[in-house]
Amino acid sequence: MNAPLVRFAHVGKHFAVEGGELEAIRDFNLEIADGEFIAIVGASGCGKSTLLRLLVGLDPAYHGQILVDGKAAKGVGGDRGIVFQEHRLFPWLTAAENVALGLATSPLSPAQRQQRVSDFLGLVGLADFAQAYPHQLSGGMSQRVAIARGLVASPRILLLDEPFGALDALTRQQMQDELLRIRARAQVTTLLVTHDVEEAIYLADRVVVMEPRPGRIKRIVEVTLPHPRLRNGLAFQQLRDELLHELTEDGPYVAPGTDYIKALPLTAFAL
Ligand SMILES: Nc1ncnc2c1ncn2[C@@H]1O[C@H](COP(=O)(O)OP(=O)(O)OP(=O)(O)O)[C@@H](O)[C@H]1O
Ligand SMILES: [Mg+2]
């Protein structure tokens, strides 16, 4: 296997809180291959956003190592683009100006900058909305502006923190397809945090299941289903049930089948 693009080795994170320390992440180990799509799922507070903040370089105070291409990931760099949990567009800037913020540290000339911004607005299907302000955009459109901003500096790694959390179910599914389409064109290694197990299985090559207090990896599940994935397919649903079980219960998962009935508690037959 090629050297991983991203390597978390024994990463731990503590926060100082009133009356002591909070262990937010314990011994997190993960290698991400170039071009891979990783989804992280887990209960609220298990350290998902914290992990992304560490990788993007927003917080240098942690234990262990985070390497990008074999080098310590220090400081915010153009090789990592992030889309935050809320899209965080500036209301007084147009869509194009919001996207251009992603080029703040780039050495491009104004003309090159403008060209890139319009290329990436086009990529997310918003070429006609360059001059629109956030209040003139729908939730899905705002989220696409935020994705364009995350991609405009052509990062090698795109970090997405619950990017579709605030969207209705239909828009959410459309955005998931859009993300796969964009990835196919922009070839970017992707790390997506989501509460939605179905979204993780629909999109990712591997799903990292985390558990809280302290935040740590419970299990990593490889998703080998070919794209486009069928949400109502049997294999998809079995995987979804299995992951939901990981997130909600502690006992071993019993796959549906002949043993399934035996595994049901007696109360299941009480109806
Ligand atoms: N700046 C901070 N100071 C103190 N504690 C923090 C800070 N940021 C996060 N935490 C704590 O670290 C833990 C992990 O937080 P984090 O935001 O990473 O969780 P999360 O998995 O992203 O949750 P959610 O799904 O709700 O977004 C939580 O217990 C949180 O209270
Ligand atoms: Mg979070």
Side-chain angles (χ1 to χ4, degrees):
M1 186 182 140
N2 293 336
L5 178 60
V6 179
R7 181 154 186 251
F8 291 91
H10 305 294
V11 171
K13 171 73 188 169
H14 290 77
F15 287 108
V17 289
E18 209 176 320
E21 280 208 322
L22 181 140
E23 186 179 12
I25 294 165
R26 177 181 290 178
D27 198 29
F28 186 91
N29 294 288
L30 182 68
E31 295 191 345
I32 305 176
D34 200 358
E36 200 176 8
F37 195 140
I38 297 280
I40 301 182
V41 297
S44 184
C46 73
K48 306 180 297 296
S49 296
T50 303
L51 275 169
L52 293 196
R53 288 173 57 82
L54 297 184
L55 176 57
V56 87
L58 288 170
D59 184 350
Y62 59 88
H63 303 289
Q65 272 191 317
I66 303 178
L67 302 179
V68 176
D69 232 356
K71 294 183 274 297
K74 280 206 196 99
V76 182
D79 58 347
R80 286 150 284 153
I82 188 162
V83 178
F84 289 100
Q85 202 158 357
E86 305 87 32
H87 56 68
R88 297 192 188 175
L89 299 185
F90 291 102
W92 58 88
L93 298 180
T94 63
E97 288 164 346
N98 269 289
V99 173
L101 290 176
L103 291 172
T105 58
S106 124
L108 295 179
S109 71
Q112 288 169 321
R113 230 170 247 260
Q114 208 176 355
Q115 186 59 49
R116 279 195 78 83
V117 168
S118 86
D119 288 350
F120 278 85
L121 277 171
L123 183 68
V124 297
L126 291 176
D128 294 339
F129 290 86
Q131 299 314 316
Y133 285 88
H135 75 270
Q136 297 169 313
L137 303 173
S138 70
M141 291 158 93
S142 300
Q143 207 49 268
R144 280 187 274 162
V145 173
I147 291 174
R149 182 175 59 193
L151 283 169
V152 72
S154 292
R156 295 185 68 190
I157 308 161
L158 180 64
L159 310 173
L160 301 151
D161 195 349
E162 283 283 354
F164 313 138
L167 305 178
D168 65 86
L170 183 62
T171 312
R172 189 176 182 126
Q173 291 195 2
Q174 288 168 344
M175 290 297 297
Q176 291 165 359
D177 286 327
E178 187 119 326
L179 178 60
L180 289 177
R181 191 178 60 76
I182 290 168
R183 252 180 63 86
R185 282 187 54 193
Q187 312 248 315
V188 64
T189 304
T190 309
L191 190 52
L192 166 89
V193 163
T194 177
H195 278 103
D196 182 344
V197 164
E198 190 176 301
E199 179 167 281
I201 301 169
Y202 188 71
L203 295 172
D205 301 318
R206 284 189 293 157
V207 181
V208 176
V209 181
M210 291 189 65
E211 55 188 336
R213 288 182 301 277
R216 60 207 184 279
I217 295 180
K218 185 172 190 195
R219 211 182 135 191
I220 299 180
V221 177
E222 196 168 347
V223 187
T224 53
L225 303 172
H227 288 282
R229 293 178 176 160
L230 300 172
R231 294 171 206 270
N232 53 4
L234 187 63
F236 192 107
Q237 298 210 347
Q238 278 180 354
L239 207 50
R240 191 192 57 192
D241 291 350
E242 191 176 333
L243 284 177
L244 280 173
H245 179 88
E246 285 289 351
L247 285 170
T248 53
E249 291 182 48
D250 287 319
Y253 175 72
V254 182
T258 45
D259 288 335
Y260 180 58
I261 301 294
K262 283 187 222 152
L264 287 173
L266 282 176
T267 47
F269 297 101
L271 295 175

